Amino acid sequence: MELRINRRAVAGLGVAVALTASSLAALRIEPGTASSHREAPAIAGDPRNDNTDVYAFVSPDKPDTVTLLANWIPFEEPNGGPNFYTFDTNSRYNIKIDNDGDAKPDITYQWTFRNEDRRGNATFLYNQGPVTSLDDPDLLFRQRYTLKRLTRGGSRTLVADGIVAPSNAGPASMPDYGLLRRQSIRPVPGGQTFAGQSDEAFFLDLRVFDLLYGGDLSEVGQDTTKGYNVHTLGLQVPAADLALKGNVRRNPVIGVWSTTDKWSPRGYVQVSRLGQPLVNEVVVPAGLKDAFNALPPEKDAGIPAVVKRVTEPELPKLLEALYGVKAPTTPRKDLVEIFLTGIAKGNGPIMADLNSQTLNKDAGKLRPAEMLRLNMAIPPARNPNRLGVLAGDLQGFPNGRRLSDDVLDIALQAMAGAATTGRLVPALTDKVDANDKPFGSAFPYIPLPGNTSVNQQR
C-alpha cells in the first residue's frame, strides 16, 4: 500500500525537525510517556478495574505483528502485602479493535480470571519459600486466566488455563522474577500473550493537577509514578489478524481501546474505558467522567457535552491564563482529528494521511469516536523520538502509542496548537522524559515490576 503521507504537510506535525539546536535542548528530546490514572470519581475507589494505559504499536522486532498492552491497578506499592495485587475475578478485561470505522468493536480480546488460594487458615504468607517457577508449590496464591477472541462471527478460546505472573514479593521470595515473567508468556496463533505485574512505565510529573505545575512551572521534573507497579495484559498478534478483511495493505488503520466489565445484579456493566491517554483526566470535566467511563465509543459523537470538550477544550484556556500561551481559536477542528476521527486530509486542517480509518479502502462511513488509532503499515522507527508525530516520527503518538512516547508533552503541545501551527512552545514540558527502567527489546517490552518500597525511591 502507498501510505500517502505528505511529508511537506507533516511539517506541521513534525515541527521538531525544523527547530534550532537550542530549542531541541530546551525540549529535552529523549524517550518518555503518560496516562490516565484515578481519572473518574467512581473508578478511583475500585483500582482493580481501573484502566491506566493502553499501548498499540508495530512490534519493533517483529514488524509483521502488532503489540497491544493494557494496564490496570494504578499506584501499586511493591511491598503491599500480605494480600498483593490481583485482577478482579468478577470482571471481564477487554482490549477492543475497530477496523472499519463504525466505532464498534470488530474484535475483542477478553480475559477472565480465577483464584487458586492454598493458604486457608494455615498462614498469612503469599509464599512459604523461594518461588523458582510458576508451578512451584511454595507459591500459595496464584491467578489463572482464560483468554478469548470475540468477533461478530463468534468466540474462540486462545488460552484456556494461563497463569498470571505473580506480584513481586521481593528477592527472598522470588530470586529470579525474570524467569517467572518468561514462564508466564503463552503462545497464541501467530503470536503470544502475557498477564502479570509490571513496572509502572507511565512517567510524568503529576503536579499538573496543582494548578498546572504550581501556576508558574516551578513544580516540574519529579517522576511521580517512579517505583510503582501495575498489572498488564499483553498481546502480540499478526497485523493481518487485526486488519479489516485481513488485508493490511488495503486497510492498515485500526482503532484500539480497553474496557473493564464488572459483574453486577444487572449483569456485566462497563465501569472503565481507556483509549488515548489523558482524555478522561484532562479533557472530560469532573461531572462527565463517570459517564464517559460507561460510554461505548459509538455513542461519543452523539453526546454534545463530550464533543464540546474537544472543540472548546479547557486546558488551552488555563495555559493562556497561567502562562500567557495564547489559546488557539475555537472550534478546535485539529483536536477533533486527533481525538475523534483520526488524521487524514479529508477530516480537518491537519493536511496528512496518517491514521484515520477513512484510509482503509474497504471501510464504510466513519463514526467519530475517541480511541487510539494505529496505522499498521508504517514501519517501526530505527530511532524513536519521544515527541512522536510532532517530531516527524510517524510511528509515534498519536499514531498508536509506544512505551517511549512522551504523551504528556505531546498532549500539551497539541493543545497549544502545534499540530497546525508547526511551532512548539519550549516551556510546555514537565521535564520528565524517560522511565527510570529501560524497556525490553522483546515482548512484552514493559519492564519487570520493582520490589523496592516507593518511600525508598526519593
Side-chain angles (χ1 to χ4, degrees), residues 74-200:
F75 303 111
E76 292 185 7
E77 158 60 49
N79 292 332
N83 294 298
F84 290 95
Y85 304 92
T86 63
F87 291 104
D88 193 337
T89 58
N90 292 315
S91 296
R92 303 184 305 202
Y93 295 81
N94 308 295
I95 297 178
K96 298 184 176 182
I97 311 294
D98 168 35
N99 56 29
D100 61 8
D102 65 359
K104 298 178 182 179
D106 298 291
I107 304 165
T108 297
Y109 293 99
Q110 185 175 94
W111 286 259
T112 54
F113 296 87
R114 55 196 178 276
N115 293 339
E116 183 182 282
D117 192 347
R118 297 188 293 111
R119 292 172 296 183
N121 295 328
T123 183
F124 62 84
L125 291 171
Y126 190 66
N127 53 288
Q128 60 187 1
V131 178
T132 58
S133 67
L134 285 186
D135 58 2
D136 194 318
D138 283 335
L139 181 61
L140 300 178
F141 179 92
R142 59 174 58 83
Q143 283 198 307
R144 296 181 181 270
Y145 68 89
T146 297
L147 168 60
K148 294 182 178 180
R149 186 179 192 267
L150 311 176
T151 66
R152 295 173 188 178
S155 171
R156 178 185 180 188
T157 298
L158 302 182
V159 177
D161 197 28
I163 300 178
V164 177
S167 291
N168 190 346
S173 292
M174 296 167 185
D176 186 355
Y177 191 88
L179 174 63
L180 302 181
R181 158 77 69 86
R182 292 192 295 274
Q183 290 179 347
S184 71
I185 296 174
R186 294 288 300 271
V188 297
Q192 48 196 331
T193 190
F194 159 76
Q197 195 177 47
S198 300
D199 173 64
E200 172 56 281

Side-chain angles (χ1 to χ4, degrees), residues 1-7 252 353-354 359 375 377-379:
M1 147 179 196
E2 182 184 358
L3 290 179
R4 297 183 289 162
I5 301 291
N6 186 323
R7 298 285 172 169
D353 286 327
L354 182 65
L359 302 176
N375 189 324
I378 299 177

Side-chain angles (χ1 to χ4, degrees), residues 267-412:
Y268 282 106
V269 176
Q270 179 179 308
V271 296
S272 188
R273 163 191 170 187
L274 184 62
Q276 296 197 47
L278 300 170
V279 169
N280 205 354
E281 279 188 323
V282 302
V283 176
V284 178
L288 294 176
K289 288 180 180 293
D290 288 336
F292 183 82
N293 262 342
L295 200 68
E298 66 188 270
K299 293 187 178 180
D300 289 348
I303 309 295
V306 171
V307 176
K308 186 174 181 180
R309 298 304 294 194
V310 176
T311 58
E312 306 278 343
E314 177 184 10
L315 185 56
K317 299 174 185 177
L318 295 174
L319 293 173
E320 181 172 353
L322 291 171
Y323 301 122
V325 178
K326 186 172 177 56
T329 58
T330 57
R332 292 292 302 275
K333 295 182 180 180
D334 58 329
L335 297 184
V336 170
E337 274 195 86
I338 292 170
F339 290 124
L340 298 177
T341 66
I343 297 169
K345 293 175 185 175
N347 290 346
I350 303 175
M351 291 291 99
D353 286 327
L354 182 65
N355 69 339
S356 173
Q357 285 111 319
T358 58
L359 302 176
N360 290 346
K361 294 181 180 179
D362 297 316
K365 184 178 180 181
L366 180 72
R367 175 73 173 173
E370 191 282 312
M371 61 183 72
L372 186 65
R373 291 177 170 87
L374 172 67
N375 189 324
M376 302 182 292
I378 299 177
R382 289 187 177 182
N383 298 297
N385 191 297
R386 74 176 183 93
L387 292 181
V389 173
L390 285 179
D393 179 358
L394 302 183
Q395 242 295 314
F397 182 76
N399 180 35
R401 181 185 174 192
R402 302 166 299 194
L403 289 164
S404 62
D405 287 334
D406 190 350
V407 299
L408 178 70
D409 279 8
I410 294 170
L412 288 173

